[in-house]
Amino acid sequence: MKVLLTGGAGYIGSHTYVALKEHGHEIVILDNFSNANRLVLDRLAQLFQEKVEHVEADIRDRSTLDDVFEAHKPDAVIHFAGAKAVGESATDPLKYYSNNVSGSQTLLEAMDAAEIRNIVFSSSATVYGVPQALPLTEDHPLSSTNTYGATKLIVEDMLRALHGADPRWSVAILRYFNPVGAHPSGEIGEDPGGIPNNLMPYITQVAVGRLAQLKVYGDDYDTSDGTGVRDYIHVSDLAQGHVAALKLMNTGTCTPINLGTGTGYSVLDMIKTFERVNEVSVPYSIAERRPGDVAANWADAQRAKELLGWQAQLGIEAMCADGWRWQSRNPKGYDQTN
Ligand code: NAD
Ligand code: WQD
């Protein structure tokens, strides 16, 4: 298929580019580089010895979207573009409504006009709010605990309404759990600007000496060791999940699907495994709980297996080893002059 990746220069988008290329798909990236480094395009080009087809544009720019659809005529869109920092969504909510909600609306309007009605959407396990039961199935009630999550829910609702109104649309709503790690080449990986919000990039930056110490947010949760438990998924597995989700294009269905491993690990499991696998030390101290965190969540990953024939292959050792390969080879991320 020919696939447009909005936000394709970002962390998950760049890994999905690799997986799609390996499966012979044709790809165009559309990204405004608000949270990505242009150097990622050089790395992708090196991996495949081929120029990366890309457009520097914002998904809120309707006339450019029209031009892109006219010029490239993609069969489907995988829609990663958006802002994703939970904390920032509290202090700058309009950025989230604009980028995530208005941006998605503009994209869908342009797709409809161009008669491209196949979309894979990057949703998040955050739409389950506070888990009422574990594992989280796709039927778990939806709610939001922060503005970022609220915007993901609105876009999911927009997609359900659109499909309800016009069943020619095919929609795969992928609810990611906690993507971590990097491509095994060490050439692409997660490169957050500023201090990382998420656990794994924080661990890798402490290990490489960019940050002094990790704070473990709470050790008094009702979990095996008291620290928070999450369903970490290797970003390469997640990328393969997108390749598999293309099966749902042109089916006239609208389906939410969890992409997780089905297994939860604690913060201390992640630190200890990272230290053991990579033979590095990750100094940490126990701190207060982070407001808004839940004790534990992990996916019921059955639906992805049944509908997509996909399941995660890589365990936390690979997540830790590959995350470290990327960070240790690129201590400052893509731009070593930082
Ligand atoms: P990322 O920030 O690395 O990638 C997003 C990309 O979109 C960036 O390259 C950014 O420059 C681009 N972008 C942002 N706004 C844009 C706009 N208006 N127009 C064009 N491009 C724009 O994030 P990621 O981790 O790769 O996440 C991708 C998607 O997956 C996001 O929608 C995110 O909400 C969702 N998601 C991420 C996680 C996670 O933990 N990383 C978990 C669940 C869901
Ligand atoms: C994981 C665990 C923390 C940092 C977030 C978003 C979610 C989704 C994925 C986009 C928790 C602990 C973390 C640190 C720590 N994103 N932690 N010290 O919160 O599960 O999910 O990213 O959709 O919407 O909320 O991920 O990596 O921030 O935290 O102890 O410095 O690590 O308390 O238990 P989270 P995370």
Short mmCIF file of all heavy atoms in Angstrom, two decimals, residues 253-304:
data_model
loop_
_atom_site.label_atom_id
_atom_site.label_comp_id
_atom_site.label_asym_id
_atom_site.label_seq_id
_atom_site.Cartn_x
_atom_site.Cartn_y
_atom_site.Cartn_z
N THR A 253 -14.77 -1.16 8.71
CA THR A 253 -14.96 -1.39 10.15
C THR A 253 -14.29 -0.26 10.94
O THR A 253 -13.45 0.46 10.41
CB THR A 253 -14.33 -2.73 10.59
OG1 THR A 253 -12.95 -2.71 10.22
CG2 THR A 253 -15.02 -3.91 9.93
N CYS A 254 -14.72 -0.13 12.18
CA CYS A 254 -14.10 0.84 13.09
C CYS A 254 -13.86 0.12 14.41
O CYS A 254 -14.82 -0.22 15.11
CB CYS A 254 -15.04 2.03 13.29
SG CYS A 254 -14.44 3.23 14.50
N THR A 255 -12.60 -0.16 14.71
CA THR A 255 -12.30 -1.06 15.84
C THR A 255 -11.18 -0.52 16.71
O THR A 255 -10.09 -0.22 16.21
CB THR A 255 -11.84 -2.44 15.30
OG1 THR A 255 -12.64 -2.79 14.19
CG2 THR A 255 -11.94 -3.51 16.37
N PRO A 256 -11.42 -0.45 18.02
CA PRO A 256 -10.31 -0.14 18.93
C PRO A 256 -9.53 -1.41 19.26
O PRO A 256 -10.12 -2.46 19.48
CB PRO A 256 -11.02 0.38 20.19
CG PRO A 256 -12.36 -0.27 20.18
CD PRO A 256 -12.70 -0.61 18.74
N ILE A 257 -8.21 -1.30 19.26
CA ILE A 257 -7.36 -2.47 19.51
C ILE A 257 -6.21 -2.08 20.43
O ILE A 257 -5.46 -1.14 20.13
CB ILE A 257 -6.79 -3.05 18.20
CG1 ILE A 257 -7.93 -3.43 17.25
CG2 ILE A 257 -5.89 -4.25 18.47
CD1 ILE A 257 -7.49 -3.92 15.89
N ASN A 258 -6.06 -2.81 21.52
CA ASN A 258 -4.92 -2.59 22.42
C ASN A 258 -3.64 -3.09 21.76
O ASN A 258 -3.61 -4.19 21.21
CB ASN A 258 -5.08 -3.41 23.70
CG ASN A 258 -6.16 -2.87 24.62
OD1 ASN A 258 -6.51 -1.70 24.55
ND2 ASN A 258 -6.68 -3.73 25.48
N LEU A 259 -2.58 -2.30 21.87
CA LEU A 259 -1.25 -2.80 21.52
C LEU A 259 -0.40 -2.78 22.78
O LEU A 259 0.09 -1.73 23.22
CB LEU A 259 -0.60 -1.98 20.40
CG LEU A 259 -1.26 -2.05 19.01
CD1 LEU A 259 -0.45 -1.27 17.98
CD2 LEU A 259 -1.47 -3.48 18.52
N GLY A 260 -0.31 -3.93 23.38
CA GLY A 260 0.50 -4.11 24.59
C GLY A 260 0.99 -5.55 24.60
O GLY A 260 0.65 -6.33 23.70
N THR A 261 1.77 -5.90 25.63
CA THR A 261 2.26 -7.29 25.69
C THR A 261 1.32 -8.17 26.50
O THR A 261 1.34 -9.39 26.38
CB THR A 261 3.64 -7.37 26.37
OG1 THR A 261 3.50 -6.95 27.73
CG2 THR A 261 4.66 -6.48 25.67
N GLY A 262 0.54 -7.53 27.40
CA GLY A 262 -0.30 -8.30 28.31
C GLY A 262 0.39 -8.56 29.64
O GLY A 262 -0.20 -9.22 30.52
N THR A 263 1.60 -8.06 29.81
CA THR A 263 2.34 -8.29 31.07
C THR A 263 2.79 -6.95 31.65
O THR A 263 3.26 -6.09 30.91
CB THR A 263 3.60 -9.14 30.81
OG1 THR A 263 3.20 -10.33 30.16
CG2 THR A 263 4.31 -9.49 32.11
N GLY A 264 2.65 -6.82 32.96
CA GLY A 264 3.08 -5.59 33.62
C GLY A 264 4.41 -5.78 34.35
O GLY A 264 4.67 -6.85 34.90
N TYR A 265 5.23 -4.74 34.31
CA TYR A 265 6.48 -4.73 35.08
C TYR A 265 6.54 -3.47 35.93
O TYR A 265 6.04 -2.42 35.52
CB TYR A 265 7.70 -4.78 34.15
CG TYR A 265 7.86 -6.12 33.49
CD1 TYR A 265 7.43 -6.32 32.18
CD2 TYR A 265 8.41 -7.20 34.18
CE1 TYR A 265 7.55 -7.56 31.57
CE2 TYR A 265 8.53 -8.45 33.58
CZ TYR A 265 8.10 -8.62 32.27
OH TYR A 265 8.22 -9.85 31.68
N SER A 266 7.19 -3.57 37.08
CA SER A 266 7.28 -2.43 37.98
C SER A 266 8.44 -1.53 37.58
O SER A 266 9.31 -1.92 36.79
CB SER A 266 7.47 -2.91 39.43
OG SER A 266 8.80 -3.38 39.59
N VAL A 267 8.47 -0.34 38.17
CA VAL A 267 9.58 0.58 37.92
C VAL A 267 10.89 -0.08 38.34
O VAL A 267 11.90 -0.03 37.61
CB VAL A 267 9.37 1.91 38.68
CG1 VAL A 267 10.57 2.83 38.49
CG2 VAL A 267 8.09 2.60 38.23
N LEU A 268 10.88 -0.74 39.50
CA LEU A 268 12.13 -1.39 39.96
C LEU A 268 12.52 -2.55 39.04
O LEU A 268 13.71 -2.76 38.80
CB LEU A 268 11.99 -1.86 41.41
CG LEU A 268 11.86 -0.74 42.46
CD1 LEU A 268 11.76 -1.33 43.87
CD2 LEU A 268 13.04 0.24 42.38
N ASP A 269 11.54 -3.29 38.51
CA ASP A 269 11.88 -4.35 37.52
C ASP A 269 12.63 -3.73 36.35
O ASP A 269 13.61 -4.30 35.86
CB ASP A 269 10.60 -4.97 36.91
CG ASP A 269 9.81 -5.84 37.86
OD1 ASP A 269 10.41 -6.39 38.79
OD2 ASP A 269 8.58 -5.98 37.65
N MET A 270 12.16 -2.57 35.89
CA MET A 270 12.78 -1.94 34.72
C MET A 270 14.20 -1.49 35.04
O MET A 270 15.13 -1.71 34.27
CB MET A 270 11.94 -0.75 34.22
CG MET A 270 10.57 -1.13 33.70
SD MET A 270 10.60 -2.38 32.39
CE MET A 270 11.02 -1.38 30.97
N ILE A 271 14.37 -0.86 36.20
CA ILE A 271 15.71 -0.38 36.58
C ILE A 271 16.67 -1.57 36.70
O ILE A 271 17.77 -1.56 36.15
CB ILE A 271 15.65 0.39 37.92
CG1 ILE A 271 14.77 1.63 37.78
CG2 ILE A 271 17.06 0.77 38.38
CD1 ILE A 271 14.49 2.34 39.12
N LYS A 272 16.24 -2.59 37.43
CA LYS A 272 17.14 -3.74 37.69
C LYS A 272 17.47 -4.48 36.40
O LYS A 272 18.62 -4.90 36.20
CB LYS A 272 16.48 -4.72 38.69
CG LYS A 272 16.22 -4.12 40.07
CD LYS A 272 17.53 -3.75 40.75
CE LYS A 272 17.30 -2.85 41.95
NZ LYS A 272 18.47 -2.05 42.32
N THR A 273 16.49 -4.65 35.55
CA THR A 273 16.75 -5.35 34.28
C THR A 273 17.69 -4.52 33.41
O THR A 273 18.63 -5.05 32.80
CB THR A 273 15.42 -5.62 33.53
OG1 THR A 273 14.55 -6.31 34.41
CG2 THR A 273 15.65 -6.45 32.28
N PHE A 274 17.46 -3.21 33.38
CA PHE A 274 18.32 -2.33 32.58
C PHE A 274 19.77 -2.44 33.07
O PHE A 274 20.71 -2.55 32.27
CB PHE A 274 17.82 -0.89 32.68
CG PHE A 274 18.47 0.04 31.71
CD1 PHE A 274 17.89 0.30 30.47
CD2 PHE A 274 19.67 0.67 32.02
CE1 PHE A 274 18.51 1.15 29.56
CE2 PHE A 274 20.28 1.53 31.12
CZ PHE A 274 19.70 1.77 29.88
N GLU A 275 19.95 -2.41 34.38
CA GLU A 275 21.30 -2.47 34.94
C GLU A 275 21.97 -3.81 34.63
O GLU A 275 23.14 -3.86 34.25
CB GLU A 275 21.25 -2.27 36.47
CG GLU A 275 20.85 -0.86 36.85
CD GLU A 275 20.94 -0.60 38.36
OE1 GLU A 275 20.56 -1.50 39.14
OE2 GLU A 275 21.37 0.49 38.75
N ARG A 276 21.21 -4.88 34.76
CA ARG A 276 21.77 -6.23 34.56
C ARG A 276 22.12 -6.47 33.09
O ARG A 276 23.24 -6.88 32.76
CB ARG A 276 20.74 -7.28 35.04
CG ARG A 276 21.13 -8.72 34.77
CD ARG A 276 20.16 -9.71 35.41
NE ARG A 276 18.76 -9.50 35.06
CZ ARG A 276 18.21 -9.86 33.90
NH1 ARG A 276 18.93 -10.44 32.96
NH2 ARG A 276 16.92 -9.65 33.67
N VAL A 277 21.17 -6.16 32.20
CA VAL A 277 21.37 -6.46 30.79
C VAL A 277 22.50 -5.62 30.20
O VAL A 277 23.27 -6.08 29.36
CB VAL A 277 20.05 -6.21 30.03
CG1 VAL A 277 20.25 -6.22 28.53
CG2 VAL A 277 19.00 -7.23 30.43
N ASN A 278 22.59 -4.38 30.64
CA ASN A 278 23.55 -3.45 30.03
C ASN A 278 24.82 -3.24 30.85
O ASN A 278 25.73 -2.52 30.42
CB ASN A 278 22.87 -2.10 29.77
CG ASN A 278 21.71 -2.24 28.81
OD1 ASN A 278 21.83 -2.91 27.79
ND2 ASN A 278 20.56 -1.64 29.12
N GLU A 279 24.86 -3.84 32.03
CA GLU A 279 26.01 -3.69 32.92
C GLU A 279 26.36 -2.22 33.14
O GLU A 279 27.50 -1.78 32.97
CB GLU A 279 27.22 -4.48 32.38
CG GLU A 279 26.90 -5.97 32.29
CD GLU A 279 28.05 -6.80 31.73
OE1 GLU A 279 29.03 -6.21 31.25
OE2 GLU A 279 27.94 -8.03 31.78
N VAL A 280 25.35 -1.45 33.46
CA VAL A 280 25.53 -0.03 33.80
C VAL A 280 24.75 0.23 35.08
O VAL A 280 23.85 -0.55 35.43
CB VAL A 280 24.99 0.93 32.71
CG1 VAL A 280 25.89 0.94 31.48
CG2 VAL A 280 23.55 0.62 32.35
N SER A 281 25.07 1.34 35.72
CA SER A 281 24.32 1.60 36.95
C SER A 281 23.36 2.77 36.74
O SER A 281 23.63 3.71 35.98
CB SER A 281 25.30 1.80 38.09
OG SER A 281 25.23 3.09 38.58
N VAL A 282 22.21 2.66 37.37
CA VAL A 282 21.17 3.69 37.27
C VAL A 282 20.84 4.15 38.70
O VAL A 282 19.96 3.58 39.36
CB VAL A 282 19.89 3.15 36.57
CG1 VAL A 282 18.83 4.24 36.48
CG2 VAL A 282 20.21 2.59 35.20
N PRO A 283 21.56 5.15 39.20
CA PRO A 283 21.27 5.62 40.55
C PRO A 283 19.83 6.14 40.64
O PRO A 283 19.37 6.83 39.72
CB PRO A 283 22.26 6.78 40.74
CG PRO A 283 23.27 6.66 39.66
CD PRO A 283 22.63 5.91 38.54
N TYR A 284 19.16 5.78 41.74
CA TYR A 284 17.79 6.25 41.90
C TYR A 284 17.49 6.51 43.36
O TYR A 284 18.18 6.00 44.24
CB TYR A 284 16.77 5.26 41.31
CG TYR A 284 16.66 3.96 42.07
CD1 TYR A 284 15.78 3.82 43.14
CD2 TYR A 284 17.44 2.85 41.71
CE1 TYR A 284 15.67 2.62 43.84
CE2 TYR A 284 17.35 1.65 42.41
CZ TYR A 284 16.46 1.55 43.47
OH TYR A 284 16.37 0.37 44.17
N SER A 285 16.46 7.30 43.60
CA SER A 285 15.95 7.46 44.96
C SER A 285 14.43 7.41 44.89
O SER A 285 13.84 7.67 43.85
CB SER A 285 16.41 8.79 45.55
OG SER A 285 15.88 9.85 44.79
N ILE A 286 13.85 7.06 46.02
CA ILE A 286 12.39 6.99 46.08
C ILE A 286 11.85 8.39 46.37
O ILE A 286 12.34 9.09 47.26
CB ILE A 286 11.93 6.00 47.19
CG1 ILE A 286 12.57 4.61 46.99
CG2 ILE A 286 10.41 5.92 47.24
CD1 ILE A 286 12.18 3.88 45.72
N ALA A 287 10.86 8.80 45.59
CA ALA A 287 10.26 10.12 45.76
C ALA A 287 8.76 9.96 45.98
O ALA A 287 8.22 8.85 45.99
CB ALA A 287 10.54 10.96 44.52
N GLU A 288 8.10 11.09 46.14
CA GLU A 288 6.64 11.11 46.28
C GLU A 288 5.98 10.52 45.03
O GLU A 288 6.55 10.58 43.94
CB GLU A 288 6.15 12.56 46.41
CG GLU A 288 6.52 13.25 47.71
CD GLU A 288 5.84 12.59 48.89
OE1 GLU A 288 4.59 12.61 48.93
OE2 GLU A 288 6.56 12.04 49.76
N ARG A 289 4.75 10.05 45.20
CA ARG A 289 3.98 9.63 44.03
C ARG A 289 3.80 10.81 43.08
O ARG A 289 3.71 11.96 43.53
CB ARG A 289 2.58 9.18 44.46
CG ARG A 289 2.56 7.89 45.22
CD ARG A 289 1.12 7.54 45.56
NE ARG A 289 1.02 6.29 46.28
CZ ARG A 289 -0.12 5.63 46.47
NH1 ARG A 289 -1.27 6.13 46.01
NH2 ARG A 289 -0.13 4.48 47.13
N ARG A 290 3.75 10.55 41.78
CA ARG A 290 3.48 11.62 40.81
C ARG A 290 1.97 11.78 40.68
O ARG A 290 1.26 10.79 40.44
CB ARG A 290 4.10 11.22 39.46
CG ARG A 290 3.99 12.26 38.38
CD ARG A 290 4.79 11.88 37.14
NE ARG A 290 4.32 10.65 36.51
CZ ARG A 290 4.84 10.14 35.39
NH1 ARG A 290 5.85 10.75 34.78
NH2 ARG A 290 4.37 9.02 34.89
N PRO A 291 1.47 13.01 40.85
CA PRO A 291 0.01 13.19 40.78
C PRO A 291 -0.54 12.65 39.46
O PRO A 291 0.06 12.86 38.40
CB PRO A 291 -0.18 14.71 40.86
CG PRO A 291 1.08 15.24 41.46
CD PRO A 291 2.18 14.28 41.07
N GLY A 292 -1.67 11.97 39.54
CA GLY A 292 -2.31 11.47 38.32
C GLY A 292 -1.91 10.06 37.94
O GLY A 292 -2.54 9.44 37.08
N ASP A 293 -0.83 9.52 38.56
CA ASP A 293 -0.40 8.16 38.22
C ASP A 293 -1.37 7.13 38.79
O ASP A 293 -1.86 7.28 39.91
CB ASP A 293 1.00 7.88 38.78
CG ASP A 293 2.10 8.33 37.84
OD1 ASP A 293 1.79 8.75 36.71
OD2 ASP A 293 3.28 8.24 38.25
N VAL A 294 -1.56 6.05 38.05
CA VAL A 294 -2.31 4.92 38.60
C VAL A 294 -1.29 3.89 39.09
O VAL A 294 -0.13 3.92 38.69
CB VAL A 294 -3.27 4.29 37.55
CG1 VAL A 294 -4.27 5.31 37.07
CG2 VAL A 294 -2.50 3.68 36.38
N ALA A 295 -1.75 2.98 39.97
CA ALA A 295 -0.83 1.97 40.52
C ALA A 295 -0.35 1.03 39.42
O ALA A 295 0.84 0.76 39.31
CB ALA A 295 -1.54 1.18 41.62
N ALA A 296 -1.28 0.53 38.64
CA ALA A 296 -0.92 -0.51 37.67
C ALA A 296 -1.85 -0.48 36.48
O ALA A 296 -3.03 -0.17 36.62
CB ALA A 296 -1.00 -1.88 38.34
N ASN A 297 -1.30 -0.77 35.31
CA ASN A 297 -2.16 -1.12 34.19
C ASN A 297 -1.43 -2.02 33.22
O ASN A 297 -0.21 -1.95 33.07
CB ASN A 297 -2.79 0.12 33.51
CG ASN A 297 -1.85 0.90 32.64
OD1 ASN A 297 -0.73 0.50 32.40
ND2 ASN A 297 -2.30 2.05 32.18
N TRP A 298 -2.16 -2.92 32.64
CA TRP A 298 -1.63 -3.73 31.55
C TRP A 298 -2.79 -4.17 30.67
O TRP A 298 -3.94 -4.14 31.07
CB TRP A 298 -0.78 -4.90 32.04
CG TRP A 298 -1.46 -5.92 32.89
CD1 TRP A 298 -2.14 -7.02 32.47
CD2 TRP A 298 -1.49 -5.95 34.33
NE1 TRP A 298 -2.60 -7.73 33.55
CE2 TRP A 298 -2.22 -7.10 34.70
CE3 TRP A 298 -0.97 -5.12 35.33
CZ2 TRP A 298 -2.45 -7.43 36.04
CZ3 TRP A 298 -1.21 -5.46 36.66
CH2 TRP A 298 -1.93 -6.60 37.00
N ALA A 299 -2.42 -4.57 29.46
CA ALA A 299 -3.41 -4.81 28.41
C ALA A 299 -3.92 -6.24 28.41
O ALA A 299 -3.19 -7.17 28.74
CB ALA A 299 -2.78 -4.53 27.05
N ASP A 300 -5.15 -6.39 27.99
CA ASP A 300 -5.60 -7.66 27.44
C ASP A 300 -5.25 -7.57 25.96
O ASP A 300 -5.78 -6.72 25.24
CB ASP A 300 -7.11 -7.81 27.64
CG ASP A 300 -7.61 -9.15 27.11
OD1 ASP A 300 -7.13 -9.57 26.03
OD2 ASP A 300 -8.47 -9.77 27.75
N ALA A 301 -4.34 -8.41 25.50
CA ALA A 301 -3.81 -8.28 24.13
C ALA A 301 -4.45 -9.27 23.16
O ALA A 301 -3.95 -9.48 22.05
CB ALA A 301 -2.29 -8.45 24.16
N GLN A 302 -5.58 -9.87 23.58
CA GLN A 302 -6.22 -10.92 22.76
C GLN A 302 -6.75 -10.42 21.42
O GLN A 302 -6.62 -11.07 20.40
CB GLN A 302 -7.41 -11.50 23.53
CG GLN A 302 -7.17 -12.80 24.23
CD GLN A 302 -6.25 -13.76 23.51
OE1 GLN A 302 -5.06 -13.84 23.85
NE2 GLN A 302 -6.74 -14.47 22.50
N ARG A 303 -7.38 -9.23 21.46
CA ARG A 303 -8.05 -8.77 20.24
C ARG A 303 -7.05 -8.55 19.10
O ARG A 303 -7.32 -8.91 17.95
CB ARG A 303 -8.85 -7.50 20.50
CG ARG A 303 -9.64 -7.07 19.28
CD ARG A 303 -10.46 -5.83 19.50
NE ARG A 303 -11.63 -6.07 20.33
CZ ARG A 303 -12.51 -5.13 20.68
NH1 ARG A 303 -12.35 -3.87 20.24
NH2 ARG A 303 -13.56 -5.41 21.43
N ALA A 304 -5.90 -8.02 19.43
CA ALA A 304 -4.88 -7.79 18.40
C ALA A 304 -4.46 -9.12 17.78
O ALA A 304 -4.24 -9.22 16.56
CB ALA A 304 -3.67 -7.07 18.99
#
